[in-house]
Amino acid sequence: MTTIREGSLEAPTRHPIDWRNPTFYDEAALNAELERVFDICHGCRRCVSLCQAFPTLFDLVDESETLEVDGVDKADYVKVVDHCYLCDLCYMTKCPYVPPHEWNVDFPHLMLRAKAVKYRKGETKGRDKLLTSTDLVGSLAGIPVVNGLVNATLNSGAGRALMESVLKVDKTARLPEYHSSTLRMRHHHLVGRKAQGEPAAPTTGKVALFATCYGNYNEPGVSDDLIAVFEHNGIPVTLAEKERCCGMPKLELGDLDAVDKARQANIPVLKALVDAGWDIVAPVPSCVLMFKQELPLMFPDDADVQAVKAHMYDPFEYLMLRHKHGKLNTAFERPLGKVIYQASCHQRVQNIGQKTREALALVPDTTVEIIERCSGHDGTYAVKQEFHAASMKIVRPVANRVKQANADHFGSDCPMAGAHIAHALGEDGRQQHPMTLLRLAYGL
């Protein structure tokens, strides 16, 4: 059974990912399981509005000669697989047949298996390998001389047209700029910090910030705000001596060996911090989920992975656990007015409840509206030429909700999702991360 810690909600049982078993990559066995699960999904159709994977499946069935899954060409299964970006919402919020139900449906992890088979067969595009090599791209784009050229290309019509022609990156998609002054450079003095925290069960009262690739290279300001808010609450913050990408982009690609390499680089460093009394937070929900769920399911017998899982927290989850024990500073200096924000999929599936909403609602004269619907971004899905239109279709209802709310502030727990929503509204840069809003409320 899934272990439920204080402050979290009951979660369904989930089986480990048996990715090291040779049968995991048996294509005939995979296709048989895809057909079995697709047939269940076809008979249910509850998830049709979640993403483009399910409409794609149902269209394939409805257009087949038999009007059943057995009439769908197995070569077309990949069309469904490619539209799944492992948001996990079908498993966590919709599907009635997840374990321990006898039908044992885990749609996202079946899609993961299919992606892994596709990757092992050498059918993954070079563009996708490049886009998910976040450490490499970020480190190169962050070089001062290169940085200006990269950002100029990203903001140039001619540059974007070239990227679309060569890499099939949609020229109308929003792409994040890169900072030469990275988060880890700005706060290098925090590496190796010695500090004493004030425990409040289950927190130790001091945190190590896993900066993440996106938080380090693309939007370091969000982590600047996180550090300011946590320090204002008497929670010392340190940075790991070194870190690599959490592995989520490679997981979504099906490159499980690369995920393992990321584990080998990150887990020893993070485990040493845990042993020294530090809890761990990260500004991007996908990275938190990677350490909370995916790595523990890929490496269920790795005690160090499980130890890191036990001390990995969403930032707002951490703050609200402190508040539960009277350790949150609630002396806010300014109201926020009306706030509307999108709760990212990878935060929702952590089963921690609406901690961001609860934290922002503590600010006087502030109302908070939450949107629990996918933004359709997923890191790379929204920028790929063949998927961009689907991504914009998925985000449209979210953007409409934001527009109708006419709020003082809008954003998302996921910095990428927030930017995608702003782009859909034609208001690039207007989004504000909830941690930024909390800093504003404190007057920091």
Side-chain angles (χ1 to χ4, degrees):
M1 289 292 293
T2 303
T3 300
I4 307 298
R5 69 186 181 197
E6 179 184 353
S8 63
L9 306 178
E10 185 62 40
T13 304
R14 202 156 198 182
H15 301 306
I17 302 170
D18 197 17
W19 70 283
R20 284 172 163 163
N21 189 329
T23 61
F24 187 82
Y25 301 93
D26 185 300
E27 193 168 5
L30 169 64
N31 282 334
E33 181 64 2
L34 285 169
E35 183 172 5
R36 182 187 78 87
V37 170
F38 285 173
D39 191 51
I40 294 170
C41 294
H42 158 54
C44 175
R45 303 204 173 199
R46 288 184 62 178
C47 295
V48 66
S49 64
L50 287 182
C51 67
Q52 196 60 30
F54 294 100
T56 300
L57 169 61
F58 303 148
D59 285 347
L60 288 171
V61 173
D62 295 343
E63 293 166 5
S64 71
E65 290 186 2
T66 66
L67 299 179
E68 299 289 347
V69 173
D70 62 10
V72 177
D73 188 340
K74 288 181 172 55
D76 285 335
Y77 285 0
V78 70
K79 296 178 181 179
V80 180
V81 174
D82 284 346
H83 274 294
C84 176
Y85 37 79
L86 307 182
C87 77
D88 255 15
L89 283 190
C90 59
Y91 185 94
M92 289 292 184
T93 69
K94 289 283 188 180
C95 183
Y97 307 120
V98 299
H101 192 282
E102 61 181 327
W103 288 356
N104 190 33
V105 174
D106 187 335
F107 190 91
H109 282 171
L110 178 58
M111 297 300 100
L112 173 62
R113 180 183 177 187
K115 291 172 185 287
V117 169
K118 178 182 177 179
Y119 188 89
R120 184 160 286 196
K121 289 170 62 181
E123 297 177 353
T124 303
K125 296 177 181 178
R127 172 207 60 188
D128 298 345
K129 294 179 181 179
L130 176 64
L131 289 177
T132 56
S133 297
T134 51
D135 284 320
L136 174 63
V137 174
S139 60
L140 292 176
I143 298 173
V145 176
V146 178
N147 179 256
L149 178 62
V150 169
N151 288 335
T153 301
L154 295 180
N155 290 298
S156 160
R160 292 301 303 273
L162 179 64
M163 291 181 67
E164 183 173 87
S165 174
V166 176
L167 294 176
K168 305 303 179 186
V169 171
D170 194 281
K171 64 183 179 182
T172 65
R174 181 261 179 190
L175 295 179
E177 293 189 351
Y178 287 86
H179 288 255
S180 57
S181 176
T182 65
L183 186 281
R184 291 183 62 82
M185 290 175 62
R186 296 182 190 190
H187 299 281
H188 182 72
H189 62 284
L190 297 180
V191 176
R193 180 181 183 182
K194 306 296 182 183
Q196 185 67 39
E198 183 179 0
T203 66
T204 66
K206 59 179 188 177
V207 302
L209 174 62
F210 186 83
T212 77
C213 305
Y214 192 85
N216 187 40
Y217 297 112
N218 301 112
E219 287 197 43
V222 173
S223 289
D224 288 339
D225 298 334
L226 187 153
I227 292 169
V229 167
F230 272 60
E231 294 280 357
H232 187 64
N233 277 277
I235 305 170
V237 179
T238 189
L239 293 178
E241 180 182 358
K242 58 181 179 179
E243 68 177 58
R244 284 184 56 177
C245 173
C246 69
M248 181 63 81
K250 294 299 184 183
L251 182 85
E252 294 173 350
L253 193 66
D255 185 359
L256 302 187
D257 289 327
V259 174
D260 188 18
K261 290 178 181 177
R263 173 192 66 90
Q264 294 175 34
N266 287 323
I267 292 297
V269 176
L270 297 179
K271 175 58 164 54
L273 287 165
V274 168
D275 290 343
W278 297 89
D279 294 321
I280 308 164
V281 298
V284 178
S286 298
C287 304
V288 176
L289 187 69
M290 193 69 192
F291 291 105
K292 273 189 178 183
Q293 174 178 282
E294 304 299 348
L295 286 177
L297 288 173
M298 286 183 66
F299 304 95
D301 300 321
D302 188 320
D304 289 352
V305 168
Q306 302 302 325
V308 170
K309 170 188 174 180
H311 289 270
M312 174 64 68
Y313 294 90
D314 171 88
F316 284 95
E317 174 193 17
Y318 200 85
L319 293 175
M320 292 310 293
L321 282 170
R322 303 285 293 176
H323 179 57
K324 183 177 180 179
H325 294 273
K327 301 298 181 183
L328 184 71
N329 185 341
T330 56
F332 298 103
E333 294 190 3
R334 57 171 289 188
L336 296 172
K338 186 174 183 180
V339 175
I340 185 169
Y341 83 99
Q342 185 255 3
S344 74
C345 303
H346 281 172
Q347 187 198 53
R348 290 175 63 192
V349 300
Q350 292 174 38
N351 292 297
I352 59 175
Q354 299 180 358
K355 301 307 178 189
T356 303
R357 182 193 60 77
E358 293 172 13
L360 294 177
L362 293 172
V363 181
D365 300 318
T366 298
T367 60
V368 185
E369 181 179 341
I370 181 173
I371 302 174
E372 294 186 303
R373 186 161 185 158
C374 185
S375 74
H377 189 273
D378 171 58
T380 62
Y381 182 82
V383 307
K384 297 174 183 176
Q385 188 178 30
E386 65 270 33
F387 301 130
H388 179 67
S391 173
M392 296 307 295
K393 176 184 175 182
I394 294 168
V395 75
R396 192 174 300 121
V398 179
N400 287 340
R401 283 274 303 276
V402 172
K403 186 176 182 179
Q404 291 164 8
N406 193 29
D408 298 294
H409 308 278
F410 75 88
S412 172
D413 287 292
C414 172
M416 288 169 279
H420 189 50
I421 295 165
H423 186 66
L425 289 166
E427 300 181 17
D428 289 312
R430 265 210 61 211
Q431 76 279 3
Q432 292 171 292
H433 192 275
M435 193 62 69
T436 302
L437 297 182
L438 204 58
R439 182 177 186 175
L440 286 172
Y442 279 126
L444 301 176

